Amino acid sequence: MKLDHIAIVRLSALGDIVNSTIVLQFIHQKYPDIKIDWITEEVFAPLLDEHPFIYKVHTINLKKIKKEKSFSLLKKTVSKLKNLPKYDLIIDMQGLLKSALVSRFIGKKIHGYDKNSAREKLSSLFYASASNIPYDISVIKRNVLLMNDALDLHIDDTMIENKLPILPSYKKLSFTQDDYCVFVIGASWESKIYPKERVAEICKDLPCKIYIVWGNEKEKSDAEFIMANIQNTEVTPKLNLKELSSLIAHAKLVIGNDTGPTHMAWAYNIPSITLFGPTNERMIFPTVKNIAIHSNSLVDIFHINKNDFSIKNIVPQNIINKAKELLQ
């Protein structure tokens, strides 16, 4: 298969984009001269625009189009997509109707998930070729298996476990101390958030400086509550994506909910503990130093219950014990 220039479509969200970048180093191992473009939502571009294996990042703003109901912006976006290069192959790693439509505006040579594998079955109608990959397996394995089919790669579990850091590296932030830990206290759903009182209990018993990451005003308030009660904690300033990446990349340990910043630890090969309640460890690729601790909920990945607040039942001492093991 001769491939000079390909496009990857993965529009959102932060954690999903992080988990998709695993494929880039393996593509370049087999096709060292290939050009890889990446199409994403504008807000996530800073995470990718300095990636050594990405030739060019192309951005769109579907959220703005939806919010403003702007036909002129939609028309401009479609025109932009249609004027992108003529790729040898377009790979839709998202499997949604919106990502399939974006791919189709770019070109016709599209590979994606088949109707039994895609998150939204209709997306498969837009593909020239498709892979059958179980939806309920690790999302990282799904990404890898899709790319194996699309590009005749042979990425296996051992290669994933021994991966190089999959995101760009940045200098250590000036406000951070040496040998620090990070606690990611937020998430996209309330039911994925571990209670701040229990976070404080964990931080109190850990032998390191702990930076509390927040993403909105509610999370900032929770972070300030923790800092007011626990001496070894500090609330970070508001961080952009590159600063967040740097904070995670230089940490000794990251603890957090099932959300993008926590997944960054795995991307940088940093020890991590991900806490699960209404979701499960399908969202990560567990390793010896990247572990999952979950509630006793029986999660049905096909019917996620966003009202499942069982994460609050995870015993703090279990997290403390695992954290101390990883810090040794």
Side-chain angles (χ1 to χ4, degrees):
M1 183 188 302
K2 180 173 172 51
L3 296 169
D4 296 319
H5 202 177
I6 66 171
I8 291 174
V9 176
R10 181 86 219 195
L11 306 175
S12 59
L14 177 59
D16 295 314
I17 292 172
V18 169
N19 288 338
S20 297
T21 56
I22 175 67
V23 302
L24 294 171
Q25 61 189 270
F26 301 116
I27 296 173
H28 267 268
Q29 284 178 14
K30 180 160 184 175
Y31 304 99
D33 298 322
I34 199 170
K35 294 178 181 177
I36 304 172
D37 287 4
W38 194 296
I39 293 83
T40 189
E41 285 276 2
E42 188 175 292
V43 66
F44 301 115
L47 188 70
L48 303 168
D49 61 14
E50 293 183 37
H51 200 292
F53 296 145
I54 295 178
Y55 181 69
K56 191 167 185 181
V57 177
H58 300 282
T59 64
I60 57 175
N61 200 333
L62 297 183
K63 289 187 177 181
K64 185 176 182 180
I65 292 171
K66 184 177 179 180
K67 181 179 179 180
E68 298 182 359
K69 297 180 174 59
S70 170
F71 179 75
S72 62
L73 182 56
L74 174 61
K75 185 177 178 182
K76 183 178 179 181
T77 300
V78 171
S79 176
K80 176 180 180 178
L81 293 171
K82 286 184 174 181
N83 282 288
L84 291 182
K86 302 301 179 185
Y87 297 107
D88 298 313
L89 185 64
I90 303 157
I91 303 162
D92 179 6
M93 296 189 72
Q94 196 150 0
L96 297 180
L97 185 57
K98 66 179 181 180
S99 60
L101 284 167
V102 165
S103 301
R104 188 62 181 80
F105 284 130
I106 298 170
K108 295 182 179 179
K109 297 177 182 177
I110 311 168
H111 186 87
Y113 295 103
D114 72 10
K115 66 178 182 179
N116 297 314
S117 309
R119 185 173 166 189
E120 295 178 353
K121 293 181 183 294
L122 285 177
S123 64
S124 64
L125 298 175
F126 296 87
Y127 306 144
S129 59
S131 297
N132 180 270
I133 301 168
Y135 183 75
D136 57 351
I137 66 172
S138 161
V139 295
I140 293 165
K141 283 293 295 292
R142 272 173 57 86
N143 292 335
V144 162
L145 292 174
L146 180 72
M147 206 59 64
N148 280 352
D149 281 356
L151 299 177
D152 192 29
L153 304 179
H154 304 281
I155 311 167
D156 58 26
D157 286 2
T158 300
M159 294 168 69
I160 298 173
E161 290 170 5
N162 295 320
K163 74 184 188 310
L164 299 172
I166 63 177
L167 292 174
S169 59
Y170 301 100
K171 291 181 180 179
K172 188 171 177 287
L173 297 177
S174 59
F175 69 82
T176 57
Q177 297 183 6
D178 293 332
D179 298 331
Y180 64 84
C181 300
V182 172
F183 213 120
V184 181
I185 62 169
S188 54
W189 319 331
E190 190 68 27
S191 58
K192 291 168 72 174
I193 296 175
Y194 197 57
K196 64 180 184 293
E197 296 82 5
R198 296 204 148 192
V199 172
E201 187 177 342
I202 293 164
C203 292
K204 183 179 179 181
D205 209 17
L206 293 184
C208 58
K209 177 75 172 184
I210 303 169
Y211 292 102
I212 311 294
V213 172
W214 56 277
N216 57 43
E217 289 304 313
K218 170 63 167 59
E219 293 171 12
K220 184 181 181 182
S221 175
D222 289 347
E224 289 170 342
F225 166 86
I226 296 165
M227 186 174 72
N229 288 279
I230 307 300
Q231 189 173 8
N232 63 325
T233 63
E234 183 177 327
V235 178
T236 66
K238 188 169 182 61
L239 303 175
N240 61 38
L241 275 179
K242 290 181 181 179
E243 291 166 338
L244 175 62
S245 297
S246 175
L247 183 73
I248 299 295
H250 294 279
K252 287 182 65 179
L253 173 68
V254 176
I255 306 173
N257 306 307
D258 174 19
T259 188
T262 312
H263 299 321
M264 282 182 174
W266 174 81
Y268 281 113
N269 295 336
I270 300 299
S272 66
I273 300 173
T274 308
L275 308 177
F276 293 96
T279 54
N280 63 19
E281 58 195 62
R282 167 186 176 270
M283 307 308 294
I284 65 173
F285 188 88
T287 68
V288 173
K289 63 181 182 179
N290 301 107
I291 65 172
I293 296 180
H294 43 78
S295 69
N296 56 2
S297 262
L298 298 176
V299 176
D300 180 356
I301 200 64
F302 297 101
H303 301 93
I304 293 294
N305 178 13
K306 292 187 177 182
N307 292 314
D308 173 5
F309 286 84
S310 62
I311 193 170
K312 67 183 180 181
N313 297 325
I314 297 175
V315 179
Q317 192 60 49
N318 293 344
I319 301 170
I320 293 167
N321 293 342
K322 286 294 183 183
K324 287 182 176 179
E325 288 178 20
L326 291 170
L327 284 169
Q328 287 179 352

